[in-house]
Amino acid sequence: MSRGSRWRGAGPIGLGGVAAALLVAAALAGSTAGCITAYAPNIRREEHHQAMTSQSTRGACLKCHELESHMAKRMRGMDPATLEHHMVEMNKVIRPPLVADWMAKDRRGCVDCHAIKGAR
């Protein structure tokens, strides 16, 4: 490749390398910081979330929302027919109500990352 054909300012790793490096840095920052609140969906005080407040505890959320590890354990114990039915039903759900294990272990509560908003 000639010097003139390379995009100026891209450096030796090119634009793809710069983008990849930025994504890795963002992922590392997010994994060390816990949640990235910009990506945590808000909780609307509607339907099953009607009673949620900014003081709601993790325990209140986990009464309805299951941990991923618990779901995985239940699935391992299912016979093939039950597992197939379970997967069909799960594929019908728009927003699966599973909670990642790291979220339940984080020092912050659910409502610290998932902001409580009023009804629409």
Side-chain angles (χ1 to χ4, degrees):
M1 175 186 303
S2 70
R3 291 181 142 226
S5 65
R6 189 168 36 159
W7 183 76
R8 292 211 186 287
I13 60 173
L15 287 176
V18 170
L22 289 173
L23 287 172
V24 168
L28 288 173
S31 68
T32 59
C35 68
I36 301 174
T37 56
Y39 296 110
N42 295 330
I43 297 171
R44 292 275 177 197
R45 292 190 67 220
E46 302 174 330
E47 301 169 6
H48 59 280
H49 287 137
Q50 187 66 39
M52 296 298 295
T53 70
S54 59
Q55 286 76 43
S56 292
T57 65
R58 178 178 290 126
C61 298
L62 293 177
K63 285 180 183 174
C64 298
H65 295 273
E66 186 173 13
L67 291 174
E68 288 177 342
S69 60
H70 293 170
M71 173 66 77
K73 185 176 181 180
R74 285 191 316 110
M75 290 172 68
R76 282 192 298 271
M78 292 178 187
D79 62 73
T82 303
L83 180 59
E84 182 178 347
H85 175 73
H86 170 80
M87 295 309 295
V88 167
E89 292 302 310
M90 287 297 102
N91 286 327
K92 292 178 184 177
V93 175
I94 296 171
R95 291 172 291 207
L98 293 177
V99 174
D101 288 25
W102 72 264
M103 292 177 187
K105 294 174 185 171
D106 195 277
R107 61 181 167 73
R108 292 166 289 197
C110 304
V111 297
D112 292 326
C113 293
H114 297 275
I116 304 295
K117 300 291 183 178
R120 294 176 212 260

